[in-house]
Amino acid sequence: MRLVIALLIGSIGAVGMWAVVVVLPVVQAEFGAGRGAVSLAFTLTMLGFGLGGVVTGKITDRFGIVTAMGLCIALLGIAFVLAGLSTTLWQFVAVYFLIGLGTSATFAPLMAEASHWFDRYRGLAVTIVASGNYVAGTIWPPVVNWGVQTAGWRTTHIVLGLFCVATMTVLVALLRAQMGDEQVQDHANAPPPRVDLNLSTNTLTVMLSIASIACCVAMSMPQVHIVAYCGDLGYGVARGAEMLSVMMGFGIISRIGSGFLADRIGGIRTLLIGSLAQGFALLFYLFFDSLSSLYIISAMFGLFQGGIVPSYAIIVREAMPAREAATRVGIVIFASVFGMSFGGWVSGFIFDATGSYAAAFANGLAWNAVNILIVMTLLIRARANSARAGEGLAI
């Protein structure tokens, strides 16, 4: 029941991450801005989301997830209303930083909290909670697009803010009731680490953060620009919104599947499989741009990359103490959203410079290779330490 409630919270709270992608073309047209300038709204959303994940992670470790969530709900509601009232592009862009902050508690801290509830099915639990982000990506783009076409992007933002406050407040109250007062802040009985990488906590955090940045620069290109890309190709933004929904829908399957996989082979191996598959899917965007092929590739991309980000949270809980899990997960997720925000911006910049997204897709492939190299290094260390431990027991 906690997982169901957490999934619903994430599905509603992540609306801002996808609303900005859908409204980019209409906001660009209204303010007469370049693609790179309007893409900064997504960049600041992700930066706020990542920075907020670190802050709300610390709040969660000290005061509990309910306190962190309450603060974010209030901020999310206020920010959406301010976005609807923006009179300049830079006001709109700045307010999306606040939306990112308000969204933050629905991802990294919530994943870390779920990791304390299970031992045997920890990977599955984490990925179910993380799927809220992709459920939002499946449901919200068409809804937001309909709202923009029907009532305008300003009214749509205000309505979204009021809806988030009303529904998320009820859900967080239900989550607290399910957890019970004695478990809201207590992680003393959480399962201990079970993977030894022979690395300090700080060193492992840095390595995971760099890997996270690299994979998410690659991931951002289709997710952030598929709507605008379809518009440029003459297919219309509505087709792009549909492709984004397809991508996120298959991403849900990928996230749940990666949870099952991580419970059997571990988070590091699951991350490596996802990274290799993501690079494979990106390669197809370089060679195919027909409407039908873009639907197929978008579905394939979602299916391949959906389990990547939750794998970092699983690795943190496999190799680090429970008492600092939310903070450490928040740091790594902050790195991932920095990668997403930088990748979203640099893709727009590359498009402005070249008039094409081909170079942006190639840029994503290069970053993806960096991620694969780091993950392979961690896997080699894990296997070496496991072999040494086995030899010690044999002796």
PDB file of all heavy atoms in Angstrom, residues 336-349:
ATOM      1  N   SER A 336      22.473  13.422 -11.965  1.00  0.00           N
ATOM      2  CA  SER A 336      21.736  12.961 -13.147  1.00  0.00           C
ATOM      3  C   SER A 336      20.902  14.079 -13.761  1.00  0.00           C
ATOM      4  O   SER A 336      20.849  14.225 -14.986  1.00  0.00           O
ATOM      5  CB  SER A 336      20.858  11.753 -12.792  1.00  0.00           C
ATOM      6  OG  SER A 336      19.713  12.135 -12.075  1.00  0.00           O
ATOM      7  N   VAL A 337      20.255  14.866 -12.902  1.00  0.00           N
ATOM      8  CA  VAL A 337      19.432  15.937 -13.459  1.00  0.00           C
ATOM      9  C   VAL A 337      20.285  17.103 -13.954  1.00  0.00           C
ATOM     10  O   VAL A 337      19.872  17.836 -14.853  1.00  0.00           O
ATOM     11  CB  VAL A 337      18.382  16.426 -12.440  1.00  0.00           C
ATOM     12  CG1 VAL A 337      17.427  15.318 -12.089  1.00  0.00           C
ATOM     13  CG2 VAL A 337      19.018  16.987 -11.188  1.00  0.00           C
ATOM     14  N   PHE A 338      21.486  17.254 -13.390  1.00  0.00           N
ATOM     15  CA  PHE A 338      22.422  18.210 -13.982  1.00  0.00           C
ATOM     16  C   PHE A 338      22.756  17.766 -15.400  1.00  0.00           C
ATOM     17  O   PHE A 338      22.799  18.572 -16.334  1.00  0.00           O
ATOM     18  CB  PHE A 338      23.697  18.323 -13.150  1.00  0.00           C
ATOM     19  CG  PHE A 338      24.743  19.196 -13.799  1.00  0.00           C
ATOM     20  CD1 PHE A 338      24.677  20.570 -13.681  1.00  0.00           C
ATOM     21  CD2 PHE A 338      25.779  18.631 -14.542  1.00  0.00           C
ATOM     22  CE1 PHE A 338      25.632  21.392 -14.295  1.00  0.00           C
ATOM     23  CE2 PHE A 338      26.733  19.432 -15.166  1.00  0.00           C
ATOM     24  CZ  PHE A 338      26.663  20.817 -15.031  1.00  0.00           C
ATOM     25  N   GLY A 339      22.992  16.458 -15.563  1.00  0.00           N
ATOM     26  CA  GLY A 339      23.243  15.921 -16.893  1.00  0.00           C
ATOM     27  C   GLY A 339      22.061  16.133 -17.821  1.00  0.00           C
ATOM     28  O   GLY A 339      22.230  16.500 -18.992  1.00  0.00           O
ATOM     29  N   MET A 340      20.834  15.910 -17.293  1.00  0.00           N
ATOM     30  CA  MET A 340      19.640  16.130 -18.102  1.00  0.00           C
ATOM     31  C   MET A 340      19.496  17.598 -18.490  1.00  0.00           C
ATOM     32  O   MET A 340      19.186  17.924 -19.642  1.00  0.00           O
ATOM     33  CB  MET A 340      18.402  15.665 -17.331  1.00  0.00           C
ATOM     34  CG  MET A 340      18.247  14.166 -17.209  1.00  0.00           C
ATOM     35  SD  MET A 340      17.812  13.362 -18.779  1.00  0.00           S
ATOM     36  CE  MET A 340      16.141  13.977 -18.996  1.00  0.00           C
ATOM     37  N   SER A 341      19.713  18.478 -17.521  1.00  0.00           N
ATOM     38  CA  SER A 341      19.543  19.907 -17.794  1.00  0.00           C
ATOM     39  C   SER A 341      20.616  20.419 -18.752  1.00  0.00           C
ATOM     40  O   SER A 341      20.322  21.158 -19.698  1.00  0.00           O
ATOM     41  CB  SER A 341      19.569  20.702 -16.490  1.00  0.00           C
ATOM     42  OG  SER A 341      20.803  20.527 -15.818  1.00  0.00           O
ATOM     43  N   PHE A 342      21.870  20.015 -18.516  1.00  0.00           N
ATOM     44  CA  PHE A 342      22.938  20.414 -19.421  1.00  0.00           C
ATOM     45  C   PHE A 342      22.717  19.822 -20.809  1.00  0.00           C
ATOM     46  O   PHE A 342      22.886  20.502 -21.829  1.00  0.00           O
ATOM     47  CB  PHE A 342      24.295  19.960 -18.869  1.00  0.00           C
ATOM     48  CG  PHE A 342      25.426  20.167 -19.833  1.00  0.00           C
ATOM     49  CD1 PHE A 342      25.921  21.435 -20.084  1.00  0.00           C
ATOM     50  CD2 PHE A 342      25.992  19.089 -20.503  1.00  0.00           C
ATOM     51  CE1 PHE A 342      26.965  21.635 -20.986  1.00  0.00           C
ATOM     52  CE2 PHE A 342      27.037  19.278 -21.400  1.00  0.00           C
ATOM     53  CZ  PHE A 342      27.523  20.547 -21.643  1.00  0.00           C
ATOM     54  N   GLY A 343      22.319  18.553 -20.836  1.00  0.00           N
ATOM     55  CA  GLY A 343      22.067  17.905 -22.116  1.00  0.00           C
ATOM     56  C   GLY A 343      20.927  18.550 -22.873  1.00  0.00           C
ATOM     57  O   GLY A 343      20.992  18.716 -24.096  1.00  0.00           O
ATOM     58  N   GLY A 344      19.857  18.929 -22.155  1.00  0.00           N
ATOM     59  CA  GLY A 344      18.741  19.600 -22.805  1.00  0.00           C
ATOM     60  C   GLY A 344      19.147  20.935 -23.395  1.00  0.00           C
ATOM     61  O   GLY A 344      18.767  21.286 -24.520  1.00  0.00           O
ATOM     62  N   TRP A 345      19.977  21.680 -22.638  1.00  0.00           N
ATOM     63  CA  TRP A 345      20.433  22.978 -23.134  1.00  0.00           C
ATOM     64  C   TRP A 345      21.405  22.822 -24.294  1.00  0.00           C
ATOM     65  O   TRP A 345      21.278  23.488 -25.321  1.00  0.00           O
ATOM     66  CB  TRP A 345      21.115  23.772 -22.016  1.00  0.00           C
ATOM     67  CG  TRP A 345      21.771  25.015 -22.544  1.00  0.00           C
ATOM     68  CD1 TRP A 345      21.175  26.203 -22.854  1.00  0.00           C
ATOM     69  CD2 TRP A 345      23.164  25.167 -22.867  1.00  0.00           C
ATOM     70  NE1 TRP A 345      22.094  27.097 -23.355  1.00  0.00           N
ATOM     71  CE2 TRP A 345      23.321  26.483 -23.366  1.00  0.00           C
ATOM     72  CE3 TRP A 345      24.265  24.334 -22.779  1.00  0.00           C
ATOM     73  CZ2 TRP A 345      24.564  26.970 -23.771  1.00  0.00           C
ATOM     74  CZ3 TRP A 345      25.502  24.817 -23.176  1.00  0.00           C
ATOM     75  CH2 TRP A 345      25.647  26.122 -23.668  1.00  0.00           C
ATOM     76  N   VAL A 346      22.400  21.931 -24.128  1.00  0.00           N
ATOM     77  CA  VAL A 346      23.429  21.832 -25.159  1.00  0.00           C
ATOM     78  C   VAL A 346      22.844  21.284 -26.462  1.00  0.00           C
ATOM     79  O   VAL A 346      23.300  21.638 -27.555  1.00  0.00           O
ATOM     80  CB  VAL A 346      24.615  20.964 -24.670  1.00  0.00           C
ATOM     81  CG1 VAL A 346      24.307  19.466 -24.742  1.00  0.00           C
ATOM     82  CG2 VAL A 346      25.876  21.269 -25.481  1.00  0.00           C
ATOM     83  N   SER A 347      21.809  20.441 -26.364  1.00  0.00           N
ATOM     84  CA  SER A 347      21.164  19.957 -27.576  1.00  0.00           C
ATOM     85  C   SER A 347      20.490  21.104 -28.326  1.00  0.00           C
ATOM     86  O   SER A 347      20.560  21.191 -29.561  1.00  0.00           O
ATOM     87  CB  SER A 347      20.141  18.869 -27.244  1.00  0.00           C
ATOM     88  OG  SER A 347      20.772  17.723 -26.716  1.00  0.00           O
ATOM     89  N   GLY A 348      19.829  21.987 -27.581  1.00  0.00           N
ATOM     90  CA  GLY A 348      19.239  23.167 -28.200  1.00  0.00           C
ATOM     91  C   GLY A 348      20.293  24.085 -28.798  1.00  0.00           C
ATOM     92  O   GLY A 348      20.115  24.649 -29.885  1.00  0.00           O
ATOM     93  N   PHE A 349      21.421  24.225 -28.092  1.00  0.00           N
ATOM     94  CA  PHE A 349      22.522  25.057 -28.581  1.00  0.00           C
ATOM     95  C   PHE A 349      23.102  24.481 -29.872  1.00  0.00           C
ATOM     96  O   PHE A 349      23.378  25.212 -30.830  1.00  0.00           O
ATOM     97  CB  PHE A 349      23.609  25.154 -27.505  1.00  0.00           C
ATOM     98  CG  PHE A 349      24.819  25.934 -27.929  1.00  0.00           C
ATOM     99  CD1 PHE A 349      24.828  27.323 -27.863  1.00  0.00           C
ATOM    100  CD2 PHE A 349      25.954  25.287 -28.400  1.00  0.00           C
ATOM    101  CE1 PHE A 349      25.943  28.051 -28.260  1.00  0.00           C
ATOM    102  CE2 PHE A 349      27.078  25.995 -28.802  1.00  0.00           C
ATOM    103  CZ  PHE A 349      27.072  27.388 -28.732  1.00  0.00           C
TER     104      PHE A 349
END
